Amino acid sequence: MKKLVIVLAMLAASPLTNAGGRGEGANLMDRFLESKTTETKVVKFNKRSDMLAGGEIAEACANAEKINPEGSALVFNNLPLLESKFSFDAVLQQIIATSPVASHLQPDEVATSKTNLLDSLLQSYTKDSASNQGVAMELDLRPDDAALANDGQLFSDMKPLGLFNRIDLADRDGKHCGEYRIAFGRIAGSESDINGNSNSNNNNRFLMIFEGQYPNPQPELGLAGCAPVVNYWASLDGLSDEKAVVELHKFFMTGTVQDGVTLPAVVNYQNYSADRGQVRVNSIVLVEGPTPNLNQARWQLREFKTAIGTEDNSVEFSHVTVKANPLAELYAYSTSTNTEAFNALSDSFKQDFVTNMLPQLLAPELKGKTSPSDIINGIFLDNDDKYNEFQSNSETPIDETDAINVATVSENFLSDQMINDFINERTQQSGVNHGITREMVINRANAMTCQGCHMTALAQYVAPGLTWPLMGPGGFVQISERENGALSTALKDQFLPARKGVMENFICNPPAVASK
């Protein structure tokens, strides 16, 4: 089947964006937003912490308020210091060393295993389709990306760009303690403009981000078991960059101890495997149009999991669906020219969207939260994986004959009146006009995707008078290898301050220990 896209708001990528994004499911961001009494402050103490307010919690809370949203407690992007402690080669080697087949490898096989691991990812760019739920979904052939498998310099060209604390993604019940990420970018090749265009090397920008989901070190305590992880990151804010990078190397690569609790290393095969974290690739090539004036640089995002090959028991990156990436055709609710498998999926998607996805996209309003920060950080999309496809393009194809405009999406699928009635019914109101249109809801779904958050949702309305935040330096990326690790405007103005609020709320309002 042909892969369709939405012109105004392509719905194709992951909610766990490269260094940005709200993420899936009920997590600590929800806990923070629900605790807020004003747009900028959290409830300082709950009943449990009130009893201890004169002691350690009060002191820790005061320190948490001083955390710098762009400091080491949330993001570390001092590139020279990062390169002195972290390498792409070492991360791949540790993934292999912690894999189920590590004991079978001889020392001289490790180098080959690292090459094979990276090549398994790059080979996904040589395939033209993949299937989910019996529905064939088109994949773009990207020979420039695939050719990096033959580039002997790729290992040394990939440099660390930033380390990210995503405690905000921690499961609200403490099933895990969020994600901790290492972003790498290819710093090599010919010079090109900020969009990646270059006559001699169109594939000059290639980024990988290792997003390890962190196990709760004290699962028997529930969410309270994540406290040492939160305290560890909070402690970094007062350190010099030189000392912070040493500590961060321990947390990511060797493991460390905080508050008497052992914290294992983030970089571990299991933390990027099925039902855990992931590895995502963000790359760009120049797509040739009918004339040179219609050429365009197109970013594409793909997602991978660590796995063991079925043929040779080697460690590999398995190409998987990009989460929160429903096939764009599903939003059109058109079944006239598609297969029986697609028709069944389309019917299921329509029902699921109203029952489960619409409440997620309207979560702030349903909770009575209307500030810009509440909306931008409070919406999410956690759809069933059976609807997802396998890639995300930042722009629509040059040939748009198969594209669907948001304005043509079926009124039977989603209408302005349906949205308004839905909010009123859920909030037990009547006759209130909330002003949320279906285009805003589609823009919200788009913003939860990688390409949406990075590009296609920028400056698009997600609520009356509110547009999705802009990127800033570095173009499409949230952290730029071209600008010495510069962070996007969206990160600095919206995402990082909210993540600081999550940490502050956890420390000021510590979760109760789970009952045994």
Side-chain angles (χ1 to χ4, degrees), residues 257-280:
V257 176
Q258 176 71 31
D259 303 335
V261 177
T262 298
L263 302 181
V266 174
V267 180
N268 184 293
Y269 170 96
Q270 296 295 339
N271 292 341
Y272 309 102
S273 63
D275 300 322
R276 297 287 284 275
Q278 57 281 319
V279 174
R280 287 182 297 120

Side-chain angles (χ1 to χ4, degrees), residues 1 3 135 137 325-331 342 387-389:
M1 76 188 304
K3 183 184 68 176
V135 177
M137 300 180 182
N325 170 27
L327 187 67
E329 273 182 298
L330 296 173
Y331 285 87
F342 175 81
Y387 305 122
N388 292 326
E389 65 169 313

Side-chain angles (χ1 to χ4, degrees), residues 187-247:
I187 303 180
S190 61
E191 291 298 322
S192 58
D193 65 23
I194 200 65
N195 291 317
N197 299 320
S198 167
N199 292 327
S200 59
N201 187 354
N202 295 328
N203 201 33
N204 202 33
R205 304 190 76 175
F206 186 87
L207 299 95
M208 287 180 64
I209 182 164
F210 295 81
E211 302 173 341
Q213 187 184 96
Y214 201 71
N216 189 333
Q218 305 172 105
E220 71 280 3
L221 303 183
L223 181 58
C226 295
V229 182
V230 177
N231 293 338
Y232 183 84
W233 280 88
S235 71
L236 300 177
D237 193 65
L239 302 181
S240 66
D241 280 1
E242 289 77 10
K243 291 181 178 179
V245 76
V246 172
E247 289 299 321

Side-chain angles (χ1 to χ4, degrees), residues 64-75:
E65 285 186 304
K66 301 174 185 177
I67 289 175
N68 175 7
E70 297 175 41
S72 300
L74 287 162
V75 56

Side-chain angles (χ1 to χ4, degrees), residues 23 30 62 71 80 153 263 276 306 320 355 394:
D30 296 308
Q153 290 296 311
L263 302 181
R276 297 287 284 275
T306 51
V320 297
T355 302
S394 62

Side-chain angles (χ1 to χ4, degrees), residues 10-56:
M10 287 171 52
L11 299 162
S14 166
L16 305 178
T17 61
N18 283 14
R22 158 61 169 77
E24 308 173 50
N27 56 35
L28 292 198
M29 184 60 73
D30 296 308
R31 185 177 186 265
F32 162 60
L33 294 175
E34 290 168 8
S35 75
K36 293 172 65 178
T37 54
T38 70
E39 185 171 339
T40 58
K41 293 294 182 182
V42 300
V43 177
K44 290 305 176 190
F45 299 104
N46 58 21
K47 291 182 179 179
R48 175 174 176 267
S49 60
D50 278 343
M51 295 183 293
L52 304 171
E56 294 181 0

